[in-house]
Every structure is written in structure tokens, then in C-alpha cells.
Amino acid sequence: MKSRNATIAMAFAASLLASSALVGPAFADGVVTIYSADGLHDGNGSWYETEFAAFTKATGITVQYIEAGSGGVVERVAKEKSNPQADVLVTLPPFVQRAAADGLLQDYKPAGADQIDGGADKYRPLVNNYMNFIYNSAVLSEAPKSYNDLLDPKFKGKIQYSTPGQAGDGTAVMLQIIHAFGGEDAGFEFMKKLQDNNVGPSASTGKLTALVNKGELHVANGDLQMNMSQMADNPNIRVFWPAGPDGTRSTFALPYEIGLVTGAPNADNGKKLIDFLLSKEAQSTVSSVALGLPARKDVKPDDANFAKAQEAMKGVTIWSPNWDEALSKLPDYVKKWNEATGS
């Protein structure tokens, strides 16, 4: 991939007109605008950087990229509903379900959809992923073994997780704790206790990694793809999954989902970008470059990064949330979380 990156670096520099800055997209035949949750654009030679440059080289279409938290990108699309600015949306559950339910996404069946499990008429998995936690391995000799270990006073002011209801990964923490503790009451009671050690809200999960790496935090939340891709620049972080009261370490799939925005100003270009990112060629680099898991069934990774992800998850039980139920309960959950934590 390094040779490919070198070849397309100049094309990317010319093609990417906007990064995380909140600028207005262009309306032109040769432009496509994507609003995306953070994680796939981390570091030089990221998967997004590589694929956007390849897309521009292949099609002549310039990619405008705008990044925020999972809830933030959906909120922005919602605010712009009467005058859409984005063509493509990438975000995490349950925010993608919210976007679909609120009419922010339109039906689109991408090329190769028969090779992609999951999703719905309005969105499809782009990169498969799992929720996790991270810790500073230079400060802690081993990962905290259980959720209750995180209540130790030694972690006071050294733990932070992104805000449920705003960040997809933060919402995942809330859902995971409810699952691990066997129900809402026990889950929110634990989060109330954890607040003694919690630094406070964070709208973005990705920003927590550097704080853990520097030792300002000892533990934070994240997701497997993002955190493993960040390790090159943050050598002190390690991923882990604490055990619940029953001793089980568990997690659930938290895929990046991609959809075409309703009223997209450059809808045809949006369809082309979605097809390109879900193509077999692009998906074949998801694990080697992004350290995620490909969404396509006909892509079988054998690279070292894929093996590393598989090894990290040994002994971790995978469960599946009911995302429609999670979406319907989310306002109540967020209210209970606010009450429990005083946030």
C-alpha cells in the first residue's frame, strides 16, 4: 500500500478540499461531499485518504470531507434537511437508524449489495467494527479485569468516555454496560458510581486516544478499528474488554454504515462514491490499511492487521443489540444517564 499511497498522494492533495473544518460544500458536477463519523481518516495514508484519492483519479470527482462525532454528523444533516449540503453520510448505530427513520437518507442499492450482509434499503455496512476500551500500558501493567475495577479510587480523574447520545462509541458504552450488568437499573447504578472517577463529557471519542497515550487519562472508550489504526501514532494505548459481574467479557458489532443523503445536491456522484468504497478492490484494503473488517463477504483478508484484530478479540463474547429497540429507547436512556451521572 505504501507504493500506492506514494502514487496517489498528489491526487489526494488536490482532491480533498475540506477536512474536519465546517465549510460549505461545493455544488458542481465534479464534486461529492461526505459527512462522516471519525475513525477512518486517522493518520497519514488512512483508508479514506487512500480511497478518496483513488476515486478522484478514477472519476475526476473531487471529494469534500467533513468529520464529526457519530451523532454530530447526523445532527448536521438534520439541520440542513430543507437545504441539503451532503451527498453521503457515514455514521454508527443507532444514529444511522435515526437518520433513516427521520427521512435523512434515501433508498439506494449499491453495486455488490448481494455480497454485503446487514444494513437496510437506506444504508449498508461500510467497515465492520467492535466497541472496546483502551488503557495506557506505560502506566498500567495490565488492563483492568472488570468494570468494577474501574471504580478503584486510583482512577479518579483518569477515566473518560464519550457522551452517550452524542457519540456512537459513547452510546455503545452505555448499551454495553446495561448488557454486562443484566439490565437498565444495575447498568445505570454502575455508571452513577463510575462518575466519581469520570473526567466528564466528550463529544468525540477519537480525541480521547491522545489523552490516554500521554497519560492524562488511564482508561477511555473507543472502537477496535479506530484504536488499532491509532496505535502507530499512540504507542502506549492497548485495547481491552472488561468483564461484567458474571465474569464474561463481551462486546458487539459497531459498523460504520454508509448511505445516500435525501436531496443530495450531487446524488449521482454520491452513488459513485458509495459504489467505489464498497467495491471489492476498496474493501480488500480495509483490514490492511484501516485495521477494520471488510463489509463484503467475498473479501477474505489474510494480512497481519486482520490477524492482530482477531487475536485481540480472543475470549470475548459477541452479542447483537436490537438496534430498532435501542433507537426507540435512546431518549429515555440518555435521560437516565444524565440523571445518574449529573451530566
Side-chain angles (χ1 to χ4, degrees), residues 11-40:
F12 174 77
S15 69
L16 189 61
L17 299 184
S19 57
S20 59
L22 297 184
V23 299
F27 298 89
D29 290 342
V31 173
V32 62
T33 300
I34 178 172
Y35 289 5
S36 178
D38 51 0
L40 295 175

Side-chain angles (χ1 to χ4, degrees), residues 218-231:
H218 292 175
V219 172
N221 70 306
D223 61 69
L224 189 63
Q225 176 279 324
M226 178 176 68
N227 292 145
M228 295 194 76
S229 70
Q230 292 170 329
M231 285 181 180

